[in-house]
Amino acid sequence: MAVFPAFLCNEFALAALGKRMDSLKADLRARIETLDCDLLDWATIVMQHNTDIARLKGKAGLE
């Protein structure tokens, strides 16, 4: 008879762990999306800087 309460306790612990894992997955997914947007912004800025540098080199005759 003592096995049944232990079984229930384990099941409740596993259910709580599953909910925690779902929460962590959602947080990680949101952070990855934010990082993706930040990296796209960074890449756009770097490409613009490269374009500006190339244009300035051309005007200064450094090419």
Side-chain angles (χ1 to χ4, degrees), residues 50-63:
N50 289 342
T51 301
D52 293 344
I53 289 169
R55 190 179 312 127
L56 287 172
K57 277 183 170 181
K59 284 183 179 181
L62 298 175
E63 289 186 30

Side-chain angles (χ1 to χ4, degrees), residues 1 3 7 12-13 15 21 24 26-28 30-31 33-35 37-38 41 45 48 51 57 59-60 62-63:
M1 197 64 174
V3 174
F7 174 77
F12 285 130
M21 290 295 291
L24 289 173
D27 288 347
L28 183 59
R31 289 179 189 221
E33 288 175 10
T34 300
L35 180 59
C37 290
D38 291 345
D41 291 344
I45 291 168
Q48 185 60 50
T51 301
K57 277 183 170 181
K59 284 183 179 181
L62 298 175
E63 289 186 30

Side-chain angles (χ1 to χ4, degrees), residues 1-46:
M1 197 64 174
V3 174
F4 187 67
F7 174 77
L8 283 179
C9 183
N10 285 342
E11 287 299 313
F12 285 130
L14 287 173
L17 182 61
K19 287 181 183 179
R20 178 70 179 138
M21 290 295 291
D22 289 342
S23 174
L24 289 173
K25 281 194 266 185
D27 288 347
L28 183 59
R29 191 173 296 121
R31 289 179 189 221
I32 288 171
E33 288 175 10
T34 300
L35 180 59
D36 187 45
C37 290
D38 291 345
L39 287 173
L40 285 173
D41 291 344
W42 176 80
T44 302
I45 291 168
V46 168

